Amino acid sequence: GAVVSQHPSRVICKSGTSVKIECRSLDFQATTMFWYRQFPKKSLMLMATSNEGSKATYEQGVEKDKFLINHASLTLSTLTVTSAHPEDSSFYICSASGGVRGGYEQYFGPGTRLTVT
Amino acid sequence: AQKITQTQPGMFVQEKEAVTLDCTYDTSDQSYGLFWYKQPSSGEMIFLIYQGSYDEQNATEGRYSLNFQKARKSANLVISASQLGDSAMYFCAMSDSWGKLQFGAGTQVVVTP
């Protein structure tokens, strides 16, 4: 149980275009979803926290107008990178919370590798 | 503010040996969770083990055990009987009262035959 999927797994886009990444909890209801960004050989950095039906909470330094997050249902959250630029190229990972360990446990998606040319 | 520290950027371990990955943390919260994740080259984050701040017993999951020393604020991961498939990046993480995870810098483990 506790499977989280992400789509697409890889995406290449041209500079200036927007890209949408989907994160789905397949077998449980995720009250909270988190979006992380990871540069090569680096740790995961939390970008934002989204709760179903409310606005996402962004971490300091993350541009909310650039990284649009929508958590429309208890099983789906989307991250849209708007007007992407090469410096947005990164590995984006989502996680979903709603597990049994007092709500602390997060289940991670397989990640999306974004390359902006 | 919370802080997670992993001081070992990389480690080599021989197959079938045990290895300990260090993790120290700092928090003013009374209630928190400590996690270890494995990230192979494919990028997926694989949950290994969890320790709650109020848990008195050290957590164990198969070959993984967490050496939780609350007074020292350390949560070291012990992998017993290392296997070649254990080669990966390992991250220690701590959750706050909101459930947000903060990750350490990670330790790259290479298991050699």
Side-chain angles (χ1 to χ4, degrees):
Chain A
V3 178
V4 176
S5 70
Q6 262 184 261
H7 179 79
S9 57
R10 288 178 179 271
V11 57
I12 301 172
C13 70
K14 292 193 173 179
S15 191
T17 60
S18 295
V19 173
K20 181 186 280 189
I21 302 169
E22 290 187 350
C23 177
R24 292 181 185 272
S25 57
L26 299 183
D27 51 3
F28 68 102
Q29 293 189 324
T31 51
T32 306
M33 287 185 168
F34 303 87
W35 287 94
Y36 297 85
R37 182 174 183 176
Q38 186 180 29
F39 290 108
K41 309 263 187 228
K42 296 293 184 184
S43 188
L44 279 72
M45 297 299 294
L46 179 65
M47 298 174 67
T49 304
S50 74
N51 293 293
E52 185 262 340
S54 61
K55 286 185 179 179
T57 304
Y58 290 81
E59 295 300 301
Q60 194 170 6
V62 178
E63 299 174 59
K64 63 177 74 173
D65 294 331
K66 179 154 191 71
F67 298 101
L68 300 179
I69 291 171
N70 183 275
H71 193 159
S73 75
L74 284 172
T75 59
L76 173 64
S77 176
T78 60
L79 167 69
T80 301
V81 183
T82 62
S83 186
H85 288 97
E87 58 265 29
D88 298 324
S89 298
S90 190
F91 191 56
Y92 293 88
I93 310 176
C94 73
S95 71
S97 176
V100 297
R101 297 186 198 274
Y104 282 144
E105 189 165 357
Q106 293 183 25
Y107 301 93
F108 284 82
T112 297
R113 196 163 300 281
L114 170 64
T115 303
V116 184
T117 60
Chain B
Q2 294 190 112
K3 190 176 179 182
I4 287 274
T5 303
Q6 291 180 256
T7 57
Q8 305 153 310
M11 294 188 74
F12 285 92
V13 58
Q14 208 153 18
E15 204 176 0
K16 299 179 186 173
E17 297 289 310
V19 62
T20 298
L21 307 183
D22 294 341
C23 174
T24 58
Y25 62 92
D26 193 18
T27 181
S28 55
D29 290 345
Q30 295 300 310
S31 178
Y32 51 89
L34 295 159
F35 299 79
W36 277 93
Y37 288 90
K38 172 184 178 182
Q39 188 179 42
S41 56
S42 59
E44 61 185 309
M45 295 291 284
I46 301 169
F47 165 77
L48 296 179
I49 198 165
Y50 165 82
Q51 179 87 39
S53 57
Y54 292 118
D55 294 341
E56 295 185 354
Q57 300 260 0
N58 283 345
T60 60
E61 295 276 357
R63 295 187 298 112
Y64 305 106
S65 59
L66 196 152
N67 184 359
F68 181 44
Q69 298 194 30
K70 195 169 183 177
R72 292 186 179 183
K73 293 188 175 178
S74 75
N76 298 341
L77 176 72
V78 179
I79 306 174
S80 62
S82 296
Q83 302 171 356
L84 295 178
D86 293 336
S87 294
M89 183 72 96
Y90 289 79
F91 290 101
C92 178
M94 177 169 61
S95 61
D96 64 11
S97 52
W98 297 99
K100 288 164 55 171
L101 281 178
Q102 184 169 352
F103 287 84
T107 297
Q108 181 72 49
V109 172
V110 176
V111 180
T112 58

